[in-house]
Amino acid sequence: MINEKTALLIIDMQKGSFTPKTPRFDADGVIERINELSRIFRKAKLPVIYIQHDGTGTGEFEKHTSEWELLNSLHVVATDIFIDKYANDVFYKSELQSELTTLDVTDLLITGCATDFCVESTVQSALTKNYNITVVSDGHTTGERPHLKAEKIIEHYNWVWQNMIPTAGSIRVKSVEKLKQQYNN
């Protein structure tokens, strides 16, 4: 059973982040798992929140351009919520906090791109805001870095998040399979 105060955050799954120049580790698998979680959340009538980086004025991820758009392979429906973000941390100068307050959300299920930038910043920020956080271990992705392979970055951050000291909230890292088992009980 999913806590009725839970929202699914899907961070930066945008066309501009998934290009031949910026390949992402297991992109198709991550998208499939995000779609699976989205279906579960919609069936439970819980919020599915898409976060889109808005780089208006920077020349990148300009709002309403193709690189700003969500990936075509994501299953998006009219009841989903869309929030623009302006920095790595989704909470920074965005409408996310007010939306979560309006929805009375206390628990966040976090997915998206990129593990070592926007996902990490958002996890850290949500932790200081006392949310109960579950990072989906196989629901976030990143690209290769000059000194580290994407798969190792994902493994590293999953380990870091599992070993963080929580504030008044909590932090867990679970796979989609474990979450499905939990939600079906």
Side-chain angles (χ1 to χ4, degrees), residues 155-172:
E155 179 184 338
H156 172 74
Y157 277 100
N158 282 336
W159 178 86
V160 167
W161 296 323
Q162 288 172 8
N163 290 283
M164 293 190 86
I165 298 168
T167 55
S170 63
I171 183 163
R172 293 173 293 282

Side-chain angles (χ1 to χ4, degrees), residues 19 34 69-70 72 83 109 121 124 141 144 148 155 157 163 176:
T19 69
I34 287 172
E69 293 173 359
L70 294 170
N72 291 337
I83 303 282
L109 198 69
S121 294
Q124 294 278 353
T141 187
E144 305 288 307
L148 203 55
E155 179 184 338
Y157 277 100
N163 290 283
V176 168

Side-chain angles (χ1 to χ4, degrees), residues 15-81:
K15 292 177 182 176
S17 294
F18 294 78
T19 69
K21 290 173 93 176
T22 58
R24 303 299 176 176
F25 177 76
D26 189 26
D28 291 340
V30 169
I31 292 164
E32 182 181 314
R33 289 184 286 277
I34 287 172
N35 284 335
E36 194 168 359
L37 289 170
S38 297
R39 280 190 295 276
I40 292 167
F41 269 66
R42 289 182 195 112
K43 185 176 178 184
K45 298 194 181 342
L46 295 173
V48 173
I49 303 174
Y50 283 97
I51 308 297
Q52 288 172 272
H53 185 77
D54 177 354
T56 299
T58 67
E60 295 182 329
F61 292 88
E62 296 275 344
K63 196 165 181 164
H64 305 297
T65 63
S66 67
E67 70 177 352
W68 172 83
E69 293 173 359
L70 294 170
L71 296 168
N72 291 337
S73 49
L74 291 168
H75 301 156
V76 180
V77 301
T79 56
D80 293 340
I81 299 165

Side-chain angles (χ1 to χ4, degrees), residues 33 37 109 134-139 162 173-183:
R33 289 184 286 277
L37 289 170
L109 198 69
T134 301
V135 181
V136 182
S137 64
D138 52 355
Q162 288 172 8
V173 179
K174 293 185 178 182
S175 68
V176 168
E177 218 35 63
K178 293 262 188 224
L179 289 166
K180 285 180 3 186
Q181 290 169 13
Q182 175 185 332
Y183 296 158

